[in-house]
Amino acid sequence: TWGSFRMLAVRRLFAPSGVFRQARSVFKVTYKDTKGNQQVVIGKEGDNLLDLAHESNIELEGACGGALACSTCHLIVDPEFYSKLPPPEEEELDMLDLAAGLTKTSRLGCQILLRPWLENIAVTLPSETSDARGAA
C-alpha cells in the first residue's frame, strides 16, 4: 500500500546513526516481466533504473555496471513514459543496436534517472538479453 511506501521513504531519511539527512523525493517504479508478473519498488530522485533493480533484487543484468558499455540493462519503457524521457545519447543508441528484442520504446536502465515526471513509470524486462562486448 502507499502508506508502507511512505514509511520506507521516512526510514530512508535517517542515516544509521540517527542523524537527519537531506530528503529526496521518492517515486514508484513498476518492473514487469514478459509473463505479466510485476514488482513495484520505490526509488529516489536521481536513482537510475539499473541500480534500483539491483537494490530490489530484480533480475536485470547490467554486465558493465552502468558504464554504458553493454546492452544487458535493456528495458522496454511504457509508451506513456517513453516520450517523457530525454532523448538517448549516441553512445546509448550504439549499445541499443546490440540489444536483443529491441522495440521503439527500448532504453538502457542505467540511463534512465528518476525525475518527478516519471512518477509511476512502468518498464518491462525483455525476454532475453545479449552482451556483445566480447564479440569480434
Side-chain angles (χ1 to χ4, degrees):
T1 66
W2 183 239
S4 62
F5 292 130
R6 288 181 191 262
M7 287 304 300
L8 175 64
V10 169
R11 277 187 259 137
R12 285 185 163 183
L13 290 176
F14 295 92
S17 65
V19 175
F20 187 75
R21 59 183 170 158
Q22 185 174 358
R24 292 191 291 166
S25 298
V26 294
F27 307 101
K28 287 195 259 186
V29 177
T30 301
Y31 291 89
K32 305 175 195 175
D33 65 22
T34 55
K35 297 176 186 169
N37 301 316
Q38 56 183 356
Q39 183 174 347
V40 177
V41 301
I42 296 295
K44 297 176 289 206
E45 186 168 358
D47 287 349
N48 72 59
L49 296 192
L50 171 62
D51 292 341
L52 185 59
H54 288 173
E55 291 170 9
S56 304
N57 296 316
I58 293 171
E59 293 187 32
L60 183 61
E61 187 175 344
C64 73
L68 201 54
C70 74
S71 62
T72 59
C73 66
H74 168 219
L75 293 169
I76 301 165
V77 180
D78 185 290
E80 174 187 350
F81 290 97
Y82 185 81
S83 62
K84 297 178 181 181
L85 294 172
E89 299 287 334
E90 191 64 35
E91 295 85 357
E92 181 180 1
L93 291 172
D94 290 345
M95 290 298 108
L96 282 169
D97 285 342
L98 306 173
L102 192 66
T103 72
K104 291 181 180 181
T105 62
S106 290
R107 293 293 299 266
L108 298 181
C110 66
Q111 298 302 299
I112 301 174
L113 302 180
L114 287 180
R115 299 289 183 234
W117 53 89
L118 296 177
E119 169 66 23
N120 295 314
I121 188 172
V123 295
T124 302
L125 285 70
S127 57
E128 60 181 299
T129 61
S130 60
D131 184 6
R133 291 179 303 156

